[in-house]
Amino acid sequence: MKKMYFLFVTLTVYLSISAQSPLIIDRTCIDITKIPPAWLEQAKTGLKIAYQHTSHGSQLVSGMDALASHNPANFAYAKTSWGFQSGVFFNDYGIEGASDLGHNGDLTWVEATNTLIENSAFDRNVIMWSWCGGCSDNTEAGINAYLNAMNTLETENTGITFVYMTGHLDGSGAEGNLNAMNSIIRNYCITNSKILFDFADIESTDPDTLSNYMEMYALDNTQYDSIGNHNPLSGPYWTRNWILNNSDSEYAEQTAACTNCAHSEDNPESMLNCVMKGRAAWWMFARIAGWDGLLNTENPEINRKCEVIPNPNKGIFTLNFYTDTESDVCIKVYNAKGSIVRMQHLRALSPDYHQINIDIRNKNSGMYFYEIKGDSLSLNGKIMKY
């Protein structure tokens, strides 16, 4: 009889709309095949979203529209543009009075949010604002003003879920001001159990998550430094290269259905940037609606994949795996350069489920890869440390 092995990377605390633990929507949240369709429907019927943005923030909506065109059965959704309208799932440009999160501590968006909430017909239970260039030229004081204002809105409006965001890439790399400001936002959201749509992280990597293009000075249009001169304008577009190399993938089909992707190269393949954000948006909406982030139990083939949930403990991961024979097992964790950072040997494991904690809290933030090998057992996957 063919032996089957299953691996799930899980956390002991699951998330809900009340955000009792942080919900970080990043590069690990784009595999929409894992989302049970019932939770997509629950999001569309249970959530009433107001989203205000300028052109960069529209990438998320363009990606959602591409998914709706490619797979209307699961991803078609009701929306309006330019202003509040009650009863609809998604108000795009849904908050009048400010265009985005602004610059250097500007809180005009707070007044606009409060005006919307005070509308007698107000029925929104999710509010989202995005950045344009406001993170790139910001200061720690300005970012803290944003975070404190968002927290105040949450405290005063407990029936509404507020979504925090990072700013889009600008070519300044890991040492740039943008990454420093985004890191303040990420750390705050993790520490204070917020919901974060990590806009920058999603556009920092392709679906294979083998490279961090932010560290290679990627721009918001996905052009990056491929030769080490810190000048992304001389480099290729990672979105175009990835789609051309994966032309038979579902990502390629969805990208072909995307008709517009602001701040992207005028090339159909580069619209993957929007598609990835649209996929992450649906992951977030399903989670806010109540999905616990576990695999789509309706599809056995999907359940044989690895499950990775963003880690609020900043580096402690729990590996749950099963073997139906007694086996010696070796667990290895690699960094992005391929170097082993953790290795553990487990002797004569009995046929059963096993739970192993992996601690990489003293390692740098970034993508890591795990490998579990034993007698006729070979499993691998990715984990993200913030």
Side-chain angles (χ1 to χ4, degrees):
M1 181 177 69
K2 184 178 179 180
K3 297 182 177 65
M4 300 180 66
Y5 303 92
F6 304 88
L7 172 66
F8 305 92
V9 181
T10 63
L11 297 173
T12 56
V13 179
Y14 298 117
L15 306 164
S16 69
I17 192 168
S18 59
Q20 294 301 309
S21 53
L23 173 54
I24 310 300
I25 303 300
D26 59 10
R27 67 183 75 183
T28 68
C29 302
I30 63 172
D31 187 355
I32 53 176
T33 63
K34 294 181 178 180
I35 308 173
W39 281 113
L40 295 172
E41 291 306 310
Q42 180 64 33
K44 285 185 273 188
T45 57
L47 302 186
K48 299 291 184 289
I49 301 164
Y51 180 38
Q52 182 60 27
H53 58 87
T54 47
S55 54
H56 282 94
S58 71
Q59 292 178 344
L60 182 157
V61 184
S62 295
M64 292 173 62
D65 289 345
L67 294 177
S69 177
H70 176 259
N71 182 359
N74 285 335
F75 296 105
Y77 67 105
K79 74 170 182 175
T80 61
S81 294
W82 305 108
F84 165 65
Q85 180 176 322
S86 63
V88 180
F89 166 69
F90 196 90
N91 287 173
D92 192 19
Y93 302 99
I95 308 175
E96 298 179 356
S99 53
D100 56 33
L101 289 172
H103 298 259
N104 298 319
D106 176 17
L107 298 180
T108 307
W109 60 274
V110 177
E111 182 179 352
T113 301
N114 282 323
T115 299
L116 173 65
I117 293 171
E118 291 166 3
N119 188 315
S120 60
F122 177 76
D123 66 347
R124 305 291 92 184
N125 55 19
V126 178
I127 291 180
M128 302 164 48
W129 285 86
S130 78
W131 298 92
C132 191
C135 261
S136 293
D137 60 7
N138 222 312
T139 63
E140 183 174 353
I143 294 298
N144 284 333
Y146 156 64
L147 297 172
N148 291 333
M150 282 285 282
N151 185 65
T152 298
L153 284 169
E154 287 181 292
T155 302
E156 295 176 348
N157 301 278
T158 55
I160 304 173
T161 297
F162 290 85
V163 177
Y164 294 67
M165 283 205 188
T166 54
H168 64 81
L169 298 187
D170 63 1
S172 60
E175 303 303 320
N177 187 66
L178 170 70
N179 191 46
M181 298 303 102
N182 282 342
S183 294
I184 293 173
I185 296 171
R186 293 183 185 111
N187 291 337
Y188 177 87
C189 290
I190 292 169
T191 302
N192 294 281
S193 297
K194 306 299 185 182
I195 298 176
L196 172 66
F197 190 87
D198 200 339
F199 201 94
D201 188 75
I202 295 166
E203 65 184 0
S204 292
T205 182
D206 59 43
D208 294 324
T209 63
L210 298 179
S211 299
N212 187 329
Y213 296 102
M214 180 276 293
E215 296 178 351
M216 291 183 273
Y217 302 89
L219 292 164
D220 54 347
N221 66 0
T222 75
Q223 199 173 11
Y224 72 102
D225 166 28
S226 62
I227 60 176
N229 66 356
H230 298 187
N231 179 15
L233 294 174
S234 65
Y237 299 82
W238 67 256
T239 41
R240 182 201 293 183
N241 290 345
W242 194 90
I243 289 294
L244 292 176
N245 290 328
N246 297 273
S247 59
D248 59 347
S249 68
E250 184 180 56
Y251 287 93
E253 295 175 4
Q254 293 163 353
T255 297
C258 195
T259 58
N260 178 60
C261 188
H263 299 279
S264 296
E265 182 196 13
D266 187 18
N267 185 292
E269 291 85 5
S270 292
M271 294 184 185
L272 173 63
N273 193 14
C274 284
V275 166
M276 291 174 65
K277 294 188 179 82
R279 291 167 70 104
W282 278 113
W283 184 290
M284 178 175 68
F285 298 149
R287 293 302 311 276
I288 292 174
W291 176 45
D292 58 12
L294 297 180
L295 296 180
N296 180 355
T297 55
E298 299 171 10
N299 188 334
E301 291 304 315
I302 292 174
N303 285 328
R304 296 186 186 112
K305 297 180 180 179
C306 301
E307 169 66 34
V308 180
I309 297 176
N311 172 34
N313 294 319
K314 300 185 183 180
I316 297 179
F317 297 86
T318 301
L319 304 184
N320 290 333
F321 61 93
Y322 175 82
T323 178
D324 60 0
T325 63
E326 183 175 294
S327 178
D328 292 342
V329 171
C330 180
I331 300 175
K332 296 178 182 179
V333 178
Y334 301 85
N335 62 21
K337 296 180 180 180
S339 300
I340 296 175
V341 298
R342 285 286 182 272
M343 182 164 61
Q344 186 170 355
H345 291 280
L346 307 170
R347 304 296 182 188
L349 290 183
S350 60
D352 204 348
Y353 284 95
H354 302 278
Q355 185 175 91
I356 306 298
N357 290 329
I358 304 296
D359 188 343
I360 55 172
R361 285 177 293 180
N362 64 340
K363 302 302 178 182
N364 293 332
S365 299
M367 184 65 68
Y368 291 82
F369 303 86
Y370 58 81
E371 176 185 78
I372 302 178
K373 286 193 174 182
D375 301 336
S376 303
L377 171 66
S378 182
L379 299 164
N380 59 76
K382 296 166 285 196
I383 52 181
M384 182 67 187
K385 180 178 181 292
Y386 297 102

